[in-house]
Amino acid sequence: MRVEIWSDIACPWCYVGKARFEKALAAFPHRDEVEVVHRSFELDPGRAKGDVQPVITMLTGKYGMSEAQAQAGEDNLGAQAAAEGLDYRTRDRDHGNTFDMHRLLHLAKEHGRQDELVQILYRANFAEERSVFTEGDERLVELAVEAGLDADRVRAVLADPQAYAEEVRADESEAARLGANGVPFFVLDRTYGVSGAQPAEVFTRALTQAWGERSPLTLVDQGDAEACGPDGCAVPRHH
């Protein structure tokens, strides 16, 4: 069975959702027969490569909320991440264009290192002090090498804006065709879809259903789970 995960490195709910999915997958009886493929989805495709700004500034601009409200949302995300055993910096993160990271994820897929790279990029973006956006290509080279890729090959891809660009666009077109207007978006054997950072038990149910059934794509228990979309990421409000 194949599980495809549409996500963006800049999406905090994708970071949390991946951990919840993996908790369910680890306990799934047929785990060894499940192939996981990461697909590209840019939340901010129109942002220029050099246009980097603090996350709080981005949130206040997109939502019209106060800095205090934006920070409260980040604090809540930090708590959600911690509940999944993930590190999350709730202060001083930045936001930028992720197209080059998606291109490298397609390179990594060819070498069987995609899951390693996506997790390293999430960690670098959400948990580490150093930015994945402001240090130039060498920061991405360093992270890709950590995932097991060849440094020269990575540099060659980054130097050629067309390398794997078509693959990224194809993933994004496919997401639109499947009806995904936000991420994370999980598609199980092109049979079931799960939208948002659902609890692990929802993924368990979806894996079990998809294992034995074939039908048109059906969204499983969408509810109101948090997700990121073209206008930004859902920010939890405190009541």
Side-chain angles (χ1 to χ4, degrees):
M1 184 168 74
R2 169 181 283 194
V3 178
E4 297 162 278
I5 307 174
W6 272 265
S7 58
D8 192 6
I9 298 302
C11 163
W13 292 117
C14 296
Y15 180 47
V16 172
K18 181 176 185 287
R20 292 175 179 171
F21 167 75
E22 287 176 347
K23 186 180 295 183
L25 185 60
F28 186 56
H30 309 287
R31 167 66 187 94
D32 293 341
E33 297 170 77
V34 177
E35 175 194 13
V36 177
V37 178
H38 295 280
R39 301 290 190 195
S40 300
F41 190 109
E42 292 172 277
L43 290 168
D44 208 350
R47 181 178 289 269
K49 183 174 178 179
D51 183 8
V52 180
Q53 65 182 153
V55 166
I56 297 300
T57 303
M58 181 271 292
L59 290 172
T60 56
K62 281 199 169 182
Y63 293 104
M65 61 175 67
S66 69
E67 286 194 10
Q69 288 172 319
Q71 189 58 65
E74 280 292 283
D75 290 342
N76 181 279
L77 271 162
Q80 300 259 4
E84 304 302 331
L86 301 171
D87 292 328
Y88 189 98
R89 293 181 68 230
T90 60
R91 301 289 190 278
D92 302 322
R93 283 197 310 108
D94 56 15
H95 176 78
N97 180 286
T98 56
F99 189 61
D100 283 348
M101 296 180 212
H102 285 295
R103 295 195 299 118
L104 290 181
L105 284 167
H106 279 278
L107 169 66
K109 181 175 181 288
E110 289 185 354
H111 295 273
R113 309 300 295 175
Q114 195 185 40
D115 195 67
E116 288 81 358
L117 181 57
V118 76
Q119 194 60 40
I120 285 168
L121 290 172
Y122 278 144
R123 184 203 71 207
N125 185 42
F126 292 110
E128 296 182 359
E129 287 190 23
R130 292 175 62 194
S131 172
V132 295
F133 300 109
T134 61
E135 292 194 22
D137 288 353
E138 281 305 303
R139 173 67 167 143
L140 295 183
V141 172
E142 174 189 320
L143 295 169
V145 167
E146 183 183 340
L149 299 178
D150 176 74
D152 290 338
R153 180 73 183 106
V154 173
R155 289 190 186 98
V157 168
L158 291 172
D160 176 7
Q162 297 307 311
Y164 299 100
E166 191 174 316
E167 287 83 348
V168 175
R169 299 299 182 217
D171 277 357
E172 293 173 338
S173 296
E174 187 73 352
R177 190 185 72 77
L178 291 171
N181 53 16
V183 284
F185 190 72
F186 302 76
V187 177
L188 293 81
D189 243 8
R190 294 296 170 105
T191 306
Y192 286 97
V194 178
S195 179
Q198 297 281 355
E201 53 267 27
V202 173
F203 291 116
T204 297
R205 188 158 65 249
L207 286 165
T208 301
Q209 287 176 306
W211 182 256
E213 298 179 28
R214 294 292 182 270
S215 69
L217 187 67
T218 304
L219 283 173
V220 176
D221 197 9
Q222 273 215 94
D224 57 353
E226 302 86 355
C228 296
D231 295 326
C233 296
V235 177
R237 301 283 188 166
H238 291 270
H239 298 288

